[in-house]
Amino acid sequence: MSGSDVSTTDSDSSSPAQSVTQDPTIEQIFKHMPGRLNQETARHMDAVLQFVLTGEETKRYHVHISDGECRVAEGLHNAPNVTFTVPAATYVDLVMGRTSGFRAFALGKMKFRGDMNIVIKMPKLFRPLNPAP
């Protein structure tokens, strides 16, 4: 009977956690990136953006934007126009709209190398990924 009580207690304590909206994974963020592209801002662009996300495990993605379309691939690109290096948790905050690229850069949490014109467009290039209600 006490085993049943423990099981019920565990189940009850996990219910509130299940109702809390969880952040998307890095994989989910990049999978949905093409749908978040602001096609108007990207209309005349032809650029490759490299993302290096640090943390427990470094993840690398590159995004090719060409004439309002966006393709995402895992791994390193041989000649990106700009490379962003940022902790994965900070990148999630950026994508969710909880912080800005400027703030992350100013706090030293995000670094970039490459075409400054693309960096300037980033806040308008992708819409924030809003959590599900």
Side-chain angles (χ1 to χ4, degrees):
M1 197 152 222
S2 66
S4 176
D5 292 339
V6 170
S7 150
T8 303
T9 303
D10 289 346
S11 175
D12 290 346
S13 67
S14 68
S15 293
Q18 291 173 352
S19 66
V20 174
T21 303
Q22 292 185 354
D23 285 340
T25 64
I26 296 298
E27 291 80 9
Q28 290 169 329
I29 288 171
F30 280 92
K31 177 182 176 183
H32 295 288
M33 191 174 248
R36 296 182 17 252
L37 181 70
N38 179 336
Q39 293 177 331
E40 186 62 35
T41 302
R43 183 174 308 257
H44 299 291
M45 280 184 77
D46 187 14
V48 175
L49 290 62
Q50 179 72 59
F51 294 88
V52 178
L53 306 170
T54 60
E56 288 183 27
E57 180 183 342
T58 299
K59 297 186 183 220
R60 297 167 179 90
Y61 290 87
H62 60 273
V63 178
H64 184 197
I65 299 171
S66 181
D67 291 324
E69 298 294 321
C70 172
R71 290 188 317 274
V72 175
E74 200 167 342
L76 292 173
H77 189 274
N78 61 351
N81 298 91
V82 66
T83 299
F84 296 94
T85 303
V86 61
T90 300
Y91 186 71
V92 171
D93 286 343
L94 282 164
V95 171
M96 299 298 288
R98 293 190 292 248
T99 193
S100 69
F102 177 78
R103 180 170 169 76
F105 178 74
L107 293 173
K109 293 184 176 185
M110 181 170 66
K111 299 174 185 173
F112 70 89
R113 183 179 68 243
D115 189 337
M116 184 67 160
N117 290 320
I118 296 170
V119 174
I120 291 169
K121 286 183 182 182
M122 284 301 290
K124 294 182 181 177
L125 200 53
F126 294 96
R127 290 181 293 282
L129 181 63
N130 296 319

